[in-house]
Amino acid sequence: MGSNSSRIGDLPKNEYLKKLSGTESVSENDPFWNQLLSFSFPAPTSSTELKLLEEATISVCRSLVENNPRTGNLGALIKVFLSRTKELKLSAECQNHIFIWQTHNALFIICCLLKVFICQMSEEELQLHFTYEEKSPGNYSSDSEDLLEELLCCLMQLITDIPLLDITYEISVEAISTMVVFLSCQLFHKEVLRQSISHKYLMRGPCLPYTSKLVKTLLYNFIRQEKPPPPGTHVFPQQSDGGGLLYGLASGVATGLWTVFTLGGVGSKATASPELSSPLANQSLLLLLVLANLTDASDAPNPYRQAIMSFKNTQDSSPFPSSIPHAFQINFNSLYTALCEQQTSDQATLLLYTLLHQNSNIRTYMLARTDMENLVLPILEILYHVEERNSHHVYMALIILLILTEDDGFNRSIHEVILKNITWYSERVLTEISLGSLLILVVIRTIQYNMTRTRDKYLHTNCLAALANMSAQFRSLHQYAAQRIISLFSLLSKKHNKVLEQATQSLRGSLSSNDVPLPDYAQDLNVIEEVIRMMLEIINSCLTNSLHHNPNLVYALLYKRDLFEQFRTHPSFQDIMQNIDLVITFFSSRLLQAGAELSVERVLEIIKQGVIALPKDRLKKFPELKFKYVEEEQPEEFFIPYVWSLVYNSAVGLYWNPQDIQLFTMDSD
């Protein structure tokens, strides 16, 4: 029979596919369907074979597109699937492997066809293919049944109602994948879709009552991280020499399904993708993110986002307000654990951001946890390895930190958590450090990386905002963290002097030549001075609110006191420099009185004694530094392309031709 690839290449000539896509109508009661759906074969082992399958499916689809208005064979296939799903729950309970296997195969073929149809035609044309009425071939009546809506409702029922067993695992994955494909029309539009047929189906009508149940099921699939059953648990027919099996059609299904789950699913990126331990959890999370980021309907908000915004802990016995639709309860402890364990992926970080930002119940619960290090450490590790992460993943991690630092309780508690031997932090051996000091180190490192590489003002702003939120609660800063705060200020000071010198030289040059366009050094200077002021405010906030808790910061200030001299009389910094100058002068005087050649330990001892002697009323009070994360206007312009890029790169067993994608550029992050 040849290799998998050659079999896939022979698909357009296959007699069963030719009949399905041909000119002859096939009744939904025809024995043909049992023959068509009884295929079994090994899975492909490369993304090349997934591409071959796609190409072979396109040729079958073109024939079906041409003939279906007369034959209605697509509708007949869907009706066969719909009738089988009515018995699926009973088949699972009775361990009817053959019935479930054939039903899965029907869904797989539908998914393959649907994917190509969506890519090749408009939603209106697609809907016509699903509203065929046998009584009058070629005539699409407004009264005819809408199989597309019926199929979507059936998929939602299948996902939420069929028990997850070894024999139902793959059909559950396929149902979720088919829903992703159903919504994939967004991939083929440059603009964000705000009104579409898929939105209409999902946000009203018979699908709407499944909203909360679907969101809850997808979340639990993510929480449980169920692994696929080993191949030995399947009792599927083996290939034979008879003509009743369709070989090579559905790469990645039946007995060979489990191998394809290790593929990345997109071109060359597949080989670099880590093996997925739970394809069901991965697909569920991707579908959940797609649903959560659908745009609101003109007359109603996105119900899936509403469900995500309002669900509560199973331990919360208070009644839901009647004004909250699609509400449900879920185990917050299990969800928290899963979120902590899965932060290596973009999509898990995006889910954490979504929940923290939109669901106040989740945010309150997480901030009350006494083991926040389990959540914060993976986020810090994402930022620490900024060179290896795409920019969107870094942004999400940073915004999560910003949201957390809006809470004073969090800012206090992170300095009480002591960590030992942070192995991934390689700049310096950290045998013991507080979570708060580590957070400061990683955020400062991110700022420095951004200054030398990406120079992204948005990233700078959010890093500094997180530090500012924490500054009043700095406690017992690690000496290395204190050093890095002052080192960052030193770097900013040098950059300021360099830009100032360039601006001065540029001004001199402009006097001698009026023809040469000058760089906008004034704007550069303005930006760097904004950042310097922010750093001075952070240092000032710590000194004003928690001087007695931070002798290491005072030590670092004194060690680099010359850095601050040039800013004492600068009009942009004069006010904020008052307290810093006072602290430097006060403690310098006490060190001078103690004599020369003082050890580090002796200096710290003098600082601790001086803190008690320094009158607190001498430090000028400034407004508290507080920054709150505010989502930009039209956030969907950022999040929808981001979510679909994750689907494109991470969805299991789904391939889209890069040349067809319109929503985002293929070389972007």
Side-chain angles (χ1 to χ4, degrees), residues 376-384 401 424 435 438-439 442:
V376 175
L377 281 172
I379 299 301
L380 294 183
E381 201 167 348
I382 292 168
L383 291 175
Y384 185 79
L401 285 186
W424 49 262
L435 179 60
L438 181 64
L439 197 159
V442 172

Side-chain angles (χ1 to χ4, degrees), residues 501-511 518-519 521:
E501 185 181 343
Q502 288 173 331
T504 305
Q505 290 176 353
S506 175
L507 190 62
R508 287 175 188 155
S510 68
L511 297 175
L518 297 173
Y521 289 115

Side-chain angles (χ1 to χ4, degrees), residues 19-20 23-37 70-81 83 132 134:
K19 186 169 182 178
L20 172 67
T23 57
E24 179 187 340
S25 292
V26 184
S27 164
E28 61 197 87
N29 300 316
D30 197 298
F32 162 80
W33 300 109
N34 281 334
Q35 297 170 318
L36 174 68
L37 303 178
R70 293 181 295 278
T71 65
N73 286 345
L74 178 60
L77 171 61
I78 290 170
K79 286 178 181 178
V80 168
F81 171 73
S83 66
Y132 171 80
E134 191 176 355

Side-chain angles (χ1 to χ4, degrees), residues 125-183:
E125 291 175 294
L126 177 70
Q127 193 175 33
L128 291 179
H129 279 276
F130 279 81
T131 51
Y132 171 80
E133 195 169 20
E134 191 176 355
K135 290 181 293 187
S136 49
N139 177 35
Y140 301 98
S141 164
S142 59
D143 296 328
S144 58
E145 59 187 331
D146 190 341
L147 285 176
L148 203 53
E149 184 173 47
E150 200 174 336
L151 173 62
L152 190 56
C153 284
C154 178
L155 292 174
M156 296 173 87
Q157 283 180 301
L158 197 159
I159 294 166
T160 57
D161 293 348
I162 300 302
L164 187 60
L165 308 169
D166 282 357
I167 59 171
T168 61
Y169 189 98
E170 67 179 89
I171 196 170
S172 297
V173 173
E174 198 63 51
I176 294 167
S177 297
T178 307
M179 279 199 70
V180 171
V181 167
F182 179 81
L183 292 161

